[in-house]
Structure formats: structure tokens, C-alpha cells
Amino acid sequence: MPSNRRVVIAVFPDVDLLDVTGPAEVFALAGRESGGRAGYRVELAGPAEGLVRTSAGVRLAVDLTFEQVTGAVDTLLVPGAVEPGADGAGPRARIDREVVAWVERLAPSARRVASVCVGAHLLAAAGLLDGRRATTHWSTAAQLAADHPEVTVDPDPIFVRSGRIWTGAGISACMDLALALVAEDHGEELAMSVARHLVMYLKRQGGQSQFSVPLSTPPTARRDIDDLRLHIAEHPDADLSAAALAARMCLSERHFARVFRQETGTTPAAYVEAVRLEAARRLLEGTDRPLEQVAAASGLGSVETLHRTLRRRLGTTPAAYRKRFRVTGGP
């Protein structure tokens, strides 16, 4: 007997367009690929009747208002919106209190609740992520952790499931999340068929750290630390041990480690590894150089260390990463 699962997606001013249309397309294709046996009924709910302008400027028509959403809901899907940070800082998730109040009211009666991208901030504000592990877009993960210390924030996974609560990572990961929901409902065979039509991986290798920029920490209050970071980035294959970096700063190792962590939020060793990983990624994406040369030029030293670092930081191998992200026409 055909199923017709009701999916309600929140829409509100400046919502990210793909957060809404991406999952909707996945659910529509699931119905088509199953011959209607795995049907989903997608409804867009907004604060008022009429059109909602998204962050892309495209307007979406609301099917029903928040107050009109009654009856059984299989999946409540909550996307997000961002706003500029203060003083030129990166984007911040915007908390729409009307959406939060609606989620608080509707979530208990929904079989499953999922957030897309920075929609996790709305779930957290509604108290749905307390005591749970969750993810969000990597650029707002620190904000989510700071605003909600009761949530265990993991910025790397493409999506996280915690009981009936799902959280998804940045932007295009909304489709990975939707595919996972289809797989849970109807099995991986159907989800794989949908993924093929979307020219996607059903389960992509690695986390969202493979798409973020680990060197995106803002300038520090100390010029000498910023100069040191530039030196590290330009010479990943140099001696970048704590002793060598401390000597370059004319500080003791202990004092240097304390100052560096205070200014950057991470340890010198972790920062150097992130820089070397970034260098290795660029070489894997843009060249055909053997892994021995990639390891040496990036400062990771050996192929074994290259493998171990990619496995630990990105959840993949050098060969798999190169196959997935190789840019043709590189030197």
C-alpha cells in the first residue's frame, strides 16, 4: 500500500533557499523512483499566508501558516537563516523567536524532527538538543557551542542522528540528510536510486571539514602571532616544532604555547597540522604528484603520516580524496 508521509518544512524571511528545495526534491524523487510506493507529502509552513522571500531573493509560496499546522506530522524539517556578524566577523545564525515557539509547540507531536544547516540553532533554542550531540554549518558551530553549552556540538559530520532528532551540516548537506531519511524510511536501495538521479554519493566520504577552510581564524590582537601564522602557511615543510616556533618568537616554549593558544584558540601543534593538511589537500586536488612528494611538500613527512592524518581529520584516504576532488588540468 502506498505510503504518504507528511513532511512539514518551515519557511520564513531570509531562509536559505536550498535548505527548503533540496530536501523537497529528494522526497519528490523518492516517490517517483518507487512508483509512488514511497510517497511524501511536502508542505511549506510559514508565519503568514502568501509569499516568503528567501536569502536568494526567490519567493516561496506558503501552503499553510504555522497556526494552521494540525494533525499528524511525520517529519518536521527546520532550515535556518544567517545574518552578518558584528564588526565584519563571519555570519551568525539568526534566531527567529516565532519559529522557535512554533517548533516548541509542534515538535512533541512529530515522529521525527530534523534541522538543516543553521536550523540547528533554532532546535537548540527550542530545547530539543539539550544533552544531545548535534552538528550545524561549520562556520556557526562555535556560536552554537557558546550559546548552548548543554549541546555537544560536533562541527565535522555531514549529519548527526540522536534518537528522533536529526541535525544536518552546511547548505548542500541538506540533501545528504534527506537521503538518509529516505533510507531510514524505505531502505538504502531506494535512497541509492535517488542519489544516482541527483548525481550524488549516498554516503559521501569525509566530513564537512573537507569543505571548510581550517585556516579561517581571524587576525589576532598580536602582529607577531599573525606573522608567525603567515610563516607557517608559506613554509609547511619547514621545522615547525614548538621549539623552533618559540625560538622564532624569542619566547620560552611554555610561554609561547600559552600565548599562541590564547590568540588563536588552538595549540601550535594542532594549528601546524591543520596547515599541513590544507597544503596536502591542495596538492591532491591540483596535481598528480606521487603521495611521497605530497607528504614531503606538505610537511607531513611520510605517506604513512599523510594517510593517518586524512583518516583522522577527514575520514578518508589520500587516494579517495584525490579521486573525489581532483581538479582536471592541474600541473
Side-chain angles (χ1 to χ4, degrees), residues 153-174:
V153 180
D154 188 342
D156 192 52
I158 299 298
F159 59 82
V160 169
R161 179 184 183 181
S162 179
R164 70 184 190 94
I165 308 295
W166 298 64
T167 51
I171 313 295
S172 65
C174 66

Side-chain angles (χ1 to χ4, degrees), residues 3 5 14 28 73 157 185-186 228 243 277 325:
S3 65
R5 298 173 185 267
D14 294 321
V73 173
D185 295 340
H186 303 289
L228 183 68
L277 176 61
F325 295 104

Side-chain angles (χ1 to χ4, degrees), residues 136-159:
T136 185
H137 192 282
W138 60 268
S139 67
T140 66
Q143 178 194 350
L144 181 61
D147 292 348
H148 301 279
E150 64 280 7
V151 180
T152 302
V153 180
D154 188 342
D156 192 52
I158 299 298
F159 59 82

Side-chain angles (χ1 to χ4, degrees), residues 123-295:
L123 296 193
L128 297 180
L129 301 184
D130 291 0
R132 297 181 185 271
R133 175 170 167 260
T135 192
T136 185
H137 192 282
W138 60 268
S139 67
T140 66
Q143 178 194 350
L144 181 61
D147 292 348
H148 301 279
E150 64 280 7
V151 180
T152 302
V153 180
D154 188 342
D156 192 52
I158 299 298
F159 59 82
V160 169
R161 179 184 183 181
S162 179
R164 70 184 190 94
I165 308 295
W166 298 64
T167 51
I171 313 295
S172 65
C174 66
M175 301 177 77
D176 297 83
L177 173 62
L179 284 169
L181 299 180
V182 170
E184 180 190 43
D185 295 340
H186 303 289
E188 292 207 352
E189 184 177 350
L190 176 59
M192 181 69 75
S193 178
V194 174
R196 281 198 299 267
H197 278 270
L198 292 169
V199 197
M200 290 179 62
Y201 287 94
L202 177 57
K203 297 178 181 177
R204 64 169 112 175
Q205 299 190 47
Q208 59 175 333
S209 60
Q210 63 188 311
F211 306 107
S212 63
V213 181
L215 312 181
S216 60
T217 47
T220 69
R222 294 183 53 144
R223 176 65 180 272
D224 53 355
I225 291 292
D226 287 340
D227 289 343
L228 183 68
R229 289 168 58 196
L230 182 61
H231 169 75
I232 293 170
E234 291 179 344
H235 305 91
D237 57 343
D239 179 3
L240 301 179
S241 63
L245 295 177
R248 188 177 182 86
M249 293 279 294
C250 299
L251 299 173
S252 69
E253 284 190 48
R254 176 178 291 184
H255 187 201
F256 164 68
R258 184 167 60 249
V259 169
F260 192 90
R261 187 178 189 107
Q262 178 181 328
E263 293 296 324
T264 66
T266 189
T267 65
Y271 188 86
V272 168
E273 183 179 72
V275 169
R276 286 173 167 166
L277 176 61
E278 180 77 1
R281 287 171 52 198
R282 288 197 300 268
L283 290 169
L284 290 171
E285 293 168 6
T287 77
D288 292 318
R289 294 169 69 174
L291 296 186
E292 292 82 0
Q293 292 183 17
V294 171

